[in-house]
């Protein structure tokens, strides 16, 4: 796997919206954070576009992403928010990938589809990390996420101490870390972007899903053999899970 160059002060980072639309008030607070890191900022055109629920139509969002990926001056790309839409771009991104310059791609939720593309097609490492939309209401947890991101981007690999859960299966393992949003992982099955999870540590996160959806997706991974040869499984906080009526 290719490790993109770590950042230096005065480097440039881009901000784009490859999925759902976003209002300026939702991403503007991140500007001051990045400036305190000594970084320059390039704003993508998709931040100001709208096509129904998307930040511009597929072609517009694709053009913004490709422009950032091809620009050697851009050292990292922050995706402003998730939602839905990245998977619609995947087949067309491949036409341009020979011109891409290695850099960090950052985001979670629907951005998992772009992480899969980086891993499967570009063989780049990428970062499942905070997004500008999270800066609207900075809680203690959000602030720590941005501190971790800052350390990682500048080459100081952070360590994590997580409180144990009584259902944990304890052990030791060193392996590649793959994963992200469970619904997106599920939707990538049987596509060219499906992760092969053998001998990997898989992490999953999800929000606002009925419990039977969660069970269906995990059953799919299990029956498909994707969980059989894992080195480890990390389960994030499944937020706002709900039972059906």
């Amino acid at each position: 796997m290719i490790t993109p160059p770590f950042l230096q002060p005065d480097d440039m980072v881009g901000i784009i919206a490859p999925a759902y639309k976003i209002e300026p008030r939702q991403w503007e607070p991140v500007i001051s954070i990045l400036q305190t890191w000594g970084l320059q900022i390039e704003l993508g055109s998709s931040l100001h576009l709208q096509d129904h629920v998307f930040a511009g139509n597929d072609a517009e969002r694709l053009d913004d992403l490709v422009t950032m990926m091809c620009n050697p001056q851009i050292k990292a790309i922050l995706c402003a928010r998730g939602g839905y839409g990245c998977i619609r771009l995947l087949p067309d991104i491949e036409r341009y990938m020979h011109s891409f310059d290695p850099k960090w791609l950052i985001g979670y939720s629907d951005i998992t589809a772009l992480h899969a593309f980086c891993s499967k097609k570009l063989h780049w490492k990428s970062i499942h990390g905070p997004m500008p939309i999270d800066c609207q209401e900075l809680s203690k947890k959000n602030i720590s996420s941005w501190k971790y991101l800052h350390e990682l981007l500048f080459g100081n690999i952070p360590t994590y101490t997580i409180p144990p859960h009584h259902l944990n299966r304890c052990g030791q393992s060193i392996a590649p870390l793959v994963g992200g949003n469970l619904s997106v992982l599920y939707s990538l099955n049987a596509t060219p972007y499906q992760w092969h999870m053998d001998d990997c540590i898989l992490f999953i996160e999800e929000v606002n899903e009925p419990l039977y959806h969660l069970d269906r997706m995990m059953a799919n991974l299990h029956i498909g053999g994707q969980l059989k040869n894992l080195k480890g499984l990390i389960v994030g906080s499944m937020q706002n899970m709900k039972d059906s009526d």
Side-chain angles (χ1 to χ4, degrees):
M1 295 291 288
I2 296 170
T3 301
F6 292 111
L7 273 57
Q8 302 291 331
D10 210 38
D11 277 348
M12 183 175 291
V13 299
I15 305 176
I16 63 172
Y20 269 16
K21 65 185 180 181
I22 188 168
E23 300 293 332
R25 62 179 175 80
Q26 295 177 297
W27 57 259
E28 286 175 342
V30 79
I31 300 297
S32 59
I33 293 177
L34 299 176
Q35 288 175 337
T36 63
W37 297 357
L39 298 173
Q40 300 183 55
I41 301 154
E42 178 76 13
L43 300 179
S45 59
S46 56
L47 294 172
H48 301 284
L49 297 178
Q50 178 180 346
D51 184 69
H52 299 285
V53 298
F54 300 112
N57 60 38
D58 290 353
E60 290 169 327
R61 300 195 322 279
L62 176 68
D63 180 69
D64 205 19
L65 173 61
V66 168
T67 298
M68 293 281 186
M69 294 287 267
C70 291
N71 187 344
Q73 301 302 313
I74 302 291
K75 304 302 181 183
I77 300 173
L78 282 90
C79 299
R81 66 161 300 169
Y84 172 70
C86 290
I87 195 171
R88 297 165 62 98
L89 308 181
L90 294 186
D92 291 320
I93 300 176
E94 291 196 53
R95 291 186 288 152
Y96 305 95
M97 67 182 194
H98 64 280
S99 300
F100 290 172
D101 190 71
K103 62 200 67 191
W104 295 104
L105 180 82
I106 305 150
Y108 64 93
S109 185
D110 193 61
I111 310 306
T112 299
L114 298 183
H115 290 312
F117 182 87
C118 286
S119 176
K120 292 285 294 181
K121 296 298 181 178
L122 300 174
H123 307 292
W124 296 0
K125 297 177 183 177
S126 58
I127 299 172
H128 183 274
M131 298 188 288
I133 196 171
D134 300 322
C135 295
Q136 292 182 99
E137 300 178 6
L138 280 177
S139 64
K140 183 177 180 180
K141 183 172 70 172
N142 284 346
I143 290 173
S144 67
S145 294
W146 287 98
K147 288 180 178 178
Y148 280 129
L149 178 62
H150 177 237
E151 290 293 303
L152 202 162
L153 283 174
F154 283 83
N156 302 312
I157 308 302
T159 58
Y160 304 88
T161 301
I162 309 297
H165 188 277
H166 73 277
L167 294 179
N168 286 159
R169 297 183 184 181
C170 297
Q172 295 184 357
S173 184
I174 297 176
L177 184 65
V178 301
N181 178 264
L182 181 58
S183 292
V184 178
L185 291 172
Y186 173 72
S187 71
L188 292 173
N189 279 348
T191 75
Y193 315 103
Q194 176 182 346
W195 259 302
H196 296 294
M197 301 173 187
D198 286 0
D199 298 319
C200 290
I201 297 171
L202 171 66
F203 69 93
I204 53 175
E205 48 97 348
E206 192 52 87
V207 63
N208 291 332
E209 286 286 352
L211 295 177
Y212 78 92
H213 283 195
L214 189 67
D215 187 73
R216 173 193 289 151
M217 292 184 288
M218 292 303 296
N220 177 275
L221 297 183
H222 171 63
I223 295 170
Q226 291 169 275
L227 307 179
K228 184 178 180 180
N229 296 312
L230 292 180
K231 291 293 187 181
L233 175 66
I234 299 174
V235 182
S237 56
M238 299 293 180
Q239 297 182 7
N240 302 324
M241 294 294 121
K242 52 202 173 188
D243 208 346
S244 62
D245 293 336

